Amino acid sequence: MPDYLDDLRLAHVLADAADAATTDRFKALDLKVETKPDMTPVTEADKAAEELIRGQLQRARPRDAILGEEYGVEGTGPRRWVIDPIDGTKNYVRGVPVWATLIALMEAGEGGFQPVVGVVSAPALGRRWWAAKGHGAFTGRSLTKASPLQVSRVSKLSDASFAYSSLSGWEEQGRLDGFLDLTREVWRTRAYGDFWPYMMVAEGSVDMCAEPELSLWDMAATGIIVTEAGGSFTGLDGRPGPHSGNAAASNGLLHDELLGYLNQRY
């Protein structure tokens, strides 16, 4: 079984380069912002960070395919890097420090491509999280200055902290009633949004989170970090991994109840 540690080290090098590029333009008064066809914003920093990562990957891993949010898929083969140059672009545009570069390596296997390496780097928060298949999940400033991640052991909804991004998507899918029922049962709810609640699940400060609509690049890196920290990461349909177009993550002990509420009236 490959150990993926060389790929993990490369992912950190890519994240370092992206951090420098995105931090340099954060809160810039002349930041250029465009609207994509799906009506979501994209900045010059999104594009620059993805171009930077793609360029380094083409030199370091020329046989690997690349899938990025801004420039699509390039190449074929059993290994594919999946990139979200800035997860949380709306925060980035408004000067909110909750945004991150998400870098994952996926390999072909049973059930399609599955994540084997993930790095989530949030330079404005001064945080980074990562994982490699079979090696656990960690957080720290670098590979050598790291602490292991472990999900919580909370086993009752009445003691659980539940994080989400917004209400609108749940309403659009007809899942709002179940979502609201869940919020009434838990100890605490907070809308942190984007990558952050998944990292909180991995480090045990939040017990579960979910989002009704996501893309592969939103989930590939976060998913393996949650699972390597001992948690569960599935679609709302219960299928493991990042392929369902939505996500539910938990410490594992609460996962069935989480899915039950989010699907109860759907």
Side-chain angles (χ1 to χ4, degrees):
M1 175 179 167
D3 65 15
Y4 304 110
L5 295 183
D6 283 344
D7 296 309
L8 178 61
R9 282 187 281 269
L10 174 59
H12 275 273
V13 171
L14 300 173
D16 289 342
D19 285 356
T22 54
T23 303
D24 183 60
R25 298 300 292 156
F26 185 49
K27 296 188 178 180
L29 296 178
D30 60 344
L31 181 71
K32 294 185 179 69
V33 183
E34 302 170 17
T35 301
K36 293 192 286 190
D38 64 359
M39 302 309 293
T40 61
V42 59
T43 72
E44 60 183 273
D46 291 82
K47 294 180 177 179
E50 184 167 326
E51 287 171 351
L52 194 63
I53 293 170
R54 282 176 178 269
Q56 292 199 20
L57 280 172
Q58 285 160 357
R59 290 188 294 274
R61 297 288 190 275
R63 296 182 180 180
D64 293 351
I66 305 170
L67 170 65
E69 179 176 9
E70 307 309 332
Y71 295 107
V73 66
E74 181 179 357
T76 59
R79 289 165 47 99
R80 177 182 293 177
W81 294 85
V82 179
I83 305 157
D84 189 343
I86 299 179
D87 183 53
T89 298
K90 292 176 182 177
N91 284 344
Y92 187 90
V93 168
R94 292 297 300 271
V96 178
V98 184
W99 49 271
T101 295
L102 279 51
I103 300 168
L105 173 62
M106 301 184 75
E107 273 197 350
E110 293 184 17
F113 283 87
Q114 297 299 332
V116 294
V117 167
V119 172
V120 172
S121 190
L125 294 176
R127 298 294 309 278
R128 185 177 289 186
W129 304 262
W130 64 88
K133 184 178 179 180
H135 289 277
F138 297 85
T139 184
R141 294 300 182 98
S142 69
L143 280 166
T144 56
K145 297 179 180 178
S147 302
L149 296 174
Q150 181 64 51
V151 296
S152 74
R153 301 305 299 167
V154 172
S155 59
K156 295 180 180 179
L157 283 181
S158 58
D159 296 329
S161 179
F162 171 54
Y164 61 97
S165 286
S166 66
L167 296 178
S168 57
W170 301 105
E171 187 169 28
E172 289 165 8
Q173 289 194 6
R175 299 180 190 264
L176 184 60
D177 288 343
F179 174 90
L180 292 174
D181 285 347
L182 175 62
T183 66
R184 297 181 184 107
E185 293 298 318
V186 298
W187 168 63
R188 195 168 190 251
T189 60
R190 284 294 183 272
Y192 299 108
D194 301 304
F195 67 93
W196 206 8
Y198 300 95
M199 299 303 93
M200 291 183 179
V201 169
E203 62 191 17
S205 53
V206 163
D207 307 302
M208 53 187 182
C209 65
E211 287 181 271
E213 187 174 2
L214 292 169
S215 298
L216 179 60
W217 47 75
D218 298 313
M219 299 183 280
T222 58
I224 187 170
I225 294 171
V226 169
T227 56
E228 285 291 322
S232 296
F233 187 100
T234 72
L236 298 178
D237 57 6
R239 181 160 58 124
H243 295 290
S244 299
N246 45 48
S250 76
N251 63 8
L253 301 174
L254 299 164
H255 208 76
D256 288 345
E257 288 180 281
L258 171 63
L259 294 178
Y261 273 95
L262 297 178
N263 289 304
Q264 69 176 2
R265 303 183 193 181
Y266 180 57

